């Protein structure tokens, strides 16, 4: 009888602990390390079992509710893993900021402007919590239209294809944003001569396939000012050599400029205070947010 | 007794001269911005209706390879682009000669009114602000038709989207880089606002000086100091600290001299 009571108590305790934990450490890991004297903050999230999911808040809604207020309302009852700024905005002030590049939020069109000055990454965040990206330069965006036909669309070079894509995004309530694409299918896509020589700290989102076939999302935060080319190179080297990824499917830029929002949660629900896992701007001032959460 | 300021120290003069030049330059930039608010007349979509000539222009075997055989240049030389009835007639003609592929017919008309029209009419990217305003006025009509004539919304969306992308990517954004002062003109601001209203956000290049001024006005000291520290070279940092040192020395010398004078007077 006593053994049954102890077993029941142990079961209840483990259930309670897992209910109270922010996430299972089997799916989320953080590491702060120094490579050649430079601090890296790396957040690794496994997409196995679809426990870790993605959500993107592109802009204020039509009623003028700020991104922060939308996020605050949405996160009630959810276990947040990390929050970061997403793509670039037209203004540093969240009250006036609008996203740069094509953007939809749950099917609502926020911006129809396709940027053609190096914003080659088109990220699609699905309602199921997954994420995919395509290289606009290659025009390899593939969607299944309403008539069931799977079609390859080149939204940068065909106005009609772009119209079909916008209709698809509305019909499927997709969230889409455009940003810099630095790595695609294991290759650096950035040109050293033509890229910006401005040096600043960088943050990247890399979706990779491990040798086991597992899909992992990495947020790599580099705490030293580098040019975009050098930072991308270092991030790719880190993923290939230290994380031993089989393929970096894509690596996007997360805006660390005037919209430098970044928060990572520990397993116990508290927030990391170290500079490798925090941004310099308060989340209340975010003009857009990419959120990882655990279910 | 009149107190004479003994400003003999060269650094003080240098500092005052530099400040005067900076203020003068700033005033010049503000004053030189154009304030013209003349707006071009709207070439209305209610321009006179003319029957479509497309039926006479199409080759007899167009159904075999509609995109390759469509006479884009000939069509554009006679098409009435400002009357939606004429354009709908053109679509009906295409549907009658190529009834099996209506989506391709819309794609052809979209190509005619986007890529081909750009080659036909807008070879140069150096359009004036007035020309851009006229173009946006024309393109924005298709945004309205998109919501009214939903059956053809793909066609209208593609035309409006193409030209608004063109205005922003190939005109407004490069203009703000090549001629920063144009951002402060009324017509540029109108175009930017109009494009943003039509959900085509126009990112404009902000110079470093404008960023500094913007952060100063908004009291974003932390961001200003952090960005300045991270983005300047060692030489720029050295020059900055030298200027600070010279300024402080100038003030110290000035107050020392003033103090001596006051003491002598007493």
């Amino acid at each position: 009888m006593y053994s049954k009571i102890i077993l029941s108590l142990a079961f209840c305790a483990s259930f309670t602990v897992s209910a109270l934990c922010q996430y299972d450490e089997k799916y989320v890991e953080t590491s702060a390390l120094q490579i050649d004297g430079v601090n890296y903050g790396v957040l690794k999230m496994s997409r196995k079992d679809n426990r870790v999911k993605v959500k993107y808040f592109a802009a204020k809604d039509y009623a003028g509710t700020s991104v922060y207020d939308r996020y605050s309302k949405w996160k009630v009852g959810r276990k947040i893993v990390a929050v970061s700024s997403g793509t670039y905005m037209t203004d540093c002030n969240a009250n006036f900021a609008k996203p740069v590049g094509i953007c939809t939020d749950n099917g609502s069109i926020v911006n129809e402007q396709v940027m053609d000055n190096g914003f080659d990454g088109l990220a699609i965040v699905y309602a199921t919590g997954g994420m995919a990206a395509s290289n606009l330069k290659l025009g390899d965006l593939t969607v299944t239209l309403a008539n069931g036909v799977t079609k390859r669309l080149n939204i940068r070079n065909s106005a009609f294809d772009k119209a079909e894509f916008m209709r698809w995004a509305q019909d499927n309530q997709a969230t889409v944003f455009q940003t810099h694409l630095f790595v695609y299918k294991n290759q650096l896509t950035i040109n050293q001569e033509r890229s910006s020589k401005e040096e600043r700290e960088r943050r990247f989102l890399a979706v990779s396939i491990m040798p086991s076939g597992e899909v992992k999302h990495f947020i790599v935060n580099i705490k030293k000012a580098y040019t975009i080319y050098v930072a991308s190179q270092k991030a790719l080297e880190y993923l290939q050599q230290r994380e031993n990824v089989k393929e970096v499917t894509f690596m996007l830029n997360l805006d660390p400029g005037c919209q430098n929002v970044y928060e990572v949660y520990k397993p116990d629900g508290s927030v990391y205070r170290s500079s490798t896992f925090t941004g310099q701007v308060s989340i209340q001032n975010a003009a857009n947010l990419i959120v990882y959460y655990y279910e | 007794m009149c107190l004479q300021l003994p400003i003999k120290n060269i650094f003080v003069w240098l500092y005052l001269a530099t400040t005067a030049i900076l203020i003068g330059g700033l005033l010049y930039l503000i004053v030189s911005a154009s304030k013209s608010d003349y707006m071009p007349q709207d070439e209305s979509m209610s321009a006179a209706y003319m029957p479509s000539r497309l039926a006479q222009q199409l080759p007899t075997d167009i159904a075999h390879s509609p995109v390759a055989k469509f006479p884009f240049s000939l069509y554009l030389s006679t098409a009435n682009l400002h009357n939606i009835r004429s354009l709908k007639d053109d679509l009906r003609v295409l549907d009658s000669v190529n009834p099996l592929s209506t989506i391709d017919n819309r794609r052809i008309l979209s190509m005619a009114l986007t890529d081909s029209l750009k080659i036909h009419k807008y070879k140069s990217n150096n359009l004036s602000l007035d020309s851009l305003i006229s173009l946006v006025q024309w393109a924005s009509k298709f945004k309205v038709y998109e919501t009214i004539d939903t059956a053809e919304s793909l066609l209208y969306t593609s035309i409006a989207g193409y030209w608004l992308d063109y205005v922003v990517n190939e005109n407004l954004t490069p203009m703000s880089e090549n001629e920063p002062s144009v951002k402060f003109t009324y017509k540029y601001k109108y175009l930017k606002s109009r494009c943003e209203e039509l959900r085509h956000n126009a990112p404009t290049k902000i110079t470093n000086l404008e960023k500094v001024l913007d952060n100063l006005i908004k009291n974003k000291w932390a961001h200003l100091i952090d960005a300045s520290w991270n983005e300047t070279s060692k030489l720029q940092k050295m020059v900055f600290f030298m200027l600070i040192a010279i300024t402080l020395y100038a003030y110290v010398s000035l107050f020392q001299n003033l103090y001596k004078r006051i003491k002598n007077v007493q």
Side-chain angles (χ1 to χ4, degrees):
Chain A
M1 183 185 144
Y2 289 117
S3 60
K4 281 184 187 171
I5 292 169
I6 289 166
L7 269 171
S8 304
L9 282 172
F11 173 77
C12 288
S14 69
F15 181 76
T16 309
V17 163
S18 69
L20 289 175
C21 274
Q22 196 70 2
Y23 50 76
D24 186 340
E25 288 177 81
K26 195 169 72 173
Y27 299 99
V28 180
E29 284 175 65
T30 53
S31 47
L33 55 154
Q34 245 196 27
I35 302 172
D36 299 331
V38 177
N39 291 328
Y40 285 62
V42 184
L43 173 65
K44 310 171 218 187
M45 296 166 285
S46 172
R47 284 279 296 143
K48 194 177 169 189
D49 305 326
N50 201 27
R51 302 302 296 273
V52 175
K53 298 180 180 178
V54 187
K55 169 80 179 162
Y56 190 77
F57 295 92
K60 290 192 282 190
D61 66 15
Y62 283 114
T65 313
S66 71
V67 161
Y68 174 69
D69 287 340
R70 289 180 60 204
Y71 163 71
S72 300
K73 196 173 163 187
W74 170 86
K75 79 172 188 175
V76 171
R78 288 191 165 91
K79 297 178 182 180
I80 306 299
V81 175
V83 186
S84 170
S85 47
T87 187
Y88 300 97
M89 302 297 275
T90 54
D91 198 295
C92 286
N93 186 334
N95 293 322
F96 310 117
K98 294 179 175 61
V100 172
I102 195 166
C103 188
T104 66
D105 193 332
N106 266 5
S108 298
I109 298 176
V110 181
N111 185 22
E112 294 182 51
Q113 182 69 33
V114 177
M115 295 305 297
D116 62 359
N117 62 347
F119 277 50
D120 295 332
L122 183 76
I124 302 174
V125 179
Y126 295 99
T128 52
M131 189 171 170
S134 97
N135 188 339
L136 290 178
K137 208 182 250 184
L138 302 179
D140 65 352
L141 174 62
T142 308
V143 297
T144 304
L145 301 175
N147 55 12
V149 171
T150 299
K151 200 168 176 189
R152 188 167 157 146
L153 300 173
N154 189 336
I155 67 170
R156 216 179 229 171
N157 296 321
S158 166
F160 205 80
D161 280 2
K162 182 187 150 191
E164 285 188 301
F165 175 70
M166 297 308 291
R167 182 180 273 185
W168 172 87
Q170 286 177 296
D171 292 346
N172 290 275
Q173 297 184 312
T175 299
V176 165
F177 64 94
Q178 191 180 356
T179 185
H180 279 128
L181 179 70
F182 298 128
V183 175
Y184 191 65
K185 295 189 178 164
N186 248 3
Q187 300 295 321
L188 267 180
T189 56
I190 181 172
N191 184 292
Q192 187 176 14
E193 283 83 41
R194 287 205 298 265
S195 60
S196 167
K197 302 293 177 280
E198 192 182 343
E199 291 186 348
R200 57 167 19 154
E201 294 179 358
R202 307 282 173 183
R203 188 177 311 127
F204 301 109
L205 167 63
V207 173
S208 307
I209 302 174
M210 307 306 286
S212 59
E214 186 185 349
V215 173
K216 271 193 176 174
H217 289 211
F218 295 84
I219 296 183
V220 181
N221 202 23
I222 302 180
K223 298 299 290 180
K224 186 178 171 176
Y226 285 122
T227 63
I228 196 68
Y229 179 80
V230 170
S232 306
Q233 212 175 24
K234 288 190 179 295
L236 182 60
E237 275 167 14
Y238 168 81
L239 291 168
Q240 288 175 334
Q241 291 165 17
R242 292 200 181 226
E243 296 292 339
N244 294 314
V245 305
K246 181 179 160 195
E247 180 189 85
V248 178
T249 313
F250 60 88
M251 188 166 87
L252 306 172
N253 193 42
L254 298 178
D255 183 17
C258 57
Q259 219 217 145
N260 188 357
V261 171
Y262 190 36
E263 278 181 8
V264 179
Y265 287 75
K266 297 180 187 175
D268 62 7
S270 62
V271 175
Y272 279 99
R273 295 288 170 215
S274 136
S275 64
T276 43
F277 294 110
T278 50
Q280 291 164 343
V281 173
S282 161
I283 193 173
Q284 281 89 342
N285 296 326
N288 60 47
L289 287 173
I290 183 165
V291 182
Y292 279 89
Y293 62 104
Y294 177 80
E295 263 187 359
Chain B
M1 189 174 175
C2 188
L3 187 67
Q4 287 178 329
L5 288 173
I7 309 181
K8 292 178 187 172
N9 192 310
I10 189 165
F11 290 111
V12 175
W13 280 112
L14 198 63
Y15 175 75
L16 289 172
T18 313
T19 312
I21 290 168
L22 280 171
I23 292 171
L26 204 58
L27 284 171
Y28 171 74
L29 284 172
I30 293 166
V31 164
S32 65
S34 164
K35 294 173 188 59
S36 163
D37 60 357
Y38 158 75
M39 293 292 277
Q41 289 289 332
D42 180 3
E43 287 181 71
S44 175
M45 285 288 277
S46 60
Y49 168 73
M50 285 185 309
S52 173
R53 295 189 216 175
L54 184 57
Q56 293 87 39
Q57 293 168 346
L58 291 175
T60 48
D61 59 346
I62 189 168
H64 296 302
S65 183
V67 175
K69 290 184 186 294
F70 187 86
F72 289 101
S73 293
L74 182 60
Y75 169 69
L76 286 172
S77 60
T78 57
N80 185 352
L81 302 178
H82 291 280
N83 189 293
I84 192 62
R85 276 179 64 194
S86 291
L87 294 174
K88 294 272 293 184
D89 281 349
D90 296 337
L91 205 48
R92 269 191 285 275
V93 167
L94 275 172
D95 283 343
S96 69
V97 299
N98 188 26
L100 298 177
S101 185
T102 54
I103 193 77
D104 278 348
N105 296 336
R106 275 125 192 90
R107 190 177 282 273
I108 288 167
L109 197 58
S110 169
M111 286 165 67
L113 296 177
T114 55
D115 296 311
S116 296
L117 181 58
K118 185 182 170 194
I119 296 167
H120 184 81
K121 195 172 175 187
Y122 298 102
K123 284 186 192 123
S124 158
N125 280 346
N126 295 327
L127 295 182
S128 65
L129 290 171
D130 286 341
S131 300
L132 290 174
I133 290 171
S134 297
L135 184 53
V136 168
Q137 284 168 346
W138 177 74
S140 63
K141 305 286 186 187
F142 290 96
K143 281 281 194 180
V144 177
Y145 284 110
E146 188 184 308
T147 55
I148 297 170
D149 187 4
T150 52
E152 306 298 350
S153 63
L154 270 183
L155 171 64
Y156 300 138
T157 305
S158 67
I159 296 167
Y162 179 90
W163 287 108
L164 292 169
D165 278 354
Y166 169 75
V167 166
V168 172
N169 284 336
E170 296 185 48
N171 291 278
L172 294 183
T173 303
M175 248 186 221
S176 71
E177 291 170 12
N178 301 329
E179 200 188 328
S181 61
V182 77
K183 294 197 294 287
F184 304 104
T185 61
Y186 169 71
K187 286 178 186 172
Y188 186 96
K189 287 183 197 175
Y190 168 77
L191 277 164
K192 187 168 183 298
S193 302
R194 189 79 182 108
C195 289
E196 285 176 4
E197 190 189 347
L198 296 168
R199 294 183 302 205
H200 282 258
N201 300 334
T204 44
K205 175 80 179 164
I206 303 173
T207 61
N208 286 335
L209 176 61
E210 285 163 13
K211 281 183 199 171
V212 169
L213 290 172
D214 188 58
N215 282 311
L216 280 171
I217 290 165
K218 291 173 184 169
N219 294 328
K220 286 188 169 180
W221 304 108
H223 179 71
L224 181 62
I225 291 167
D226 180 66
S228 304
W229 187 259
N230 285 333
E231 291 167 30
T232 47
S233 64
K234 284 184 182 142
L235 178 64
Q236 284 172 318
K237 286 181 177 97
M238 272 174 54
V239 167
F240 174 74
F241 281 116
M242 261 180 58
L243 283 172
I244 295 283
I246 290 167
T247 306
L248 285 172
Y249 177 73
Y251 274 113
V252 166
S253 300
L254 179 66
F255 288 125
Q256 271 179 342
N257 277 309
L258 272 174
Y259 178 72
K260 278 181 198 163
R261 284 282 168 173
I262 291 168
K263 212 174 168 187
N264 286 343
V265 164
Q266 284 173 349

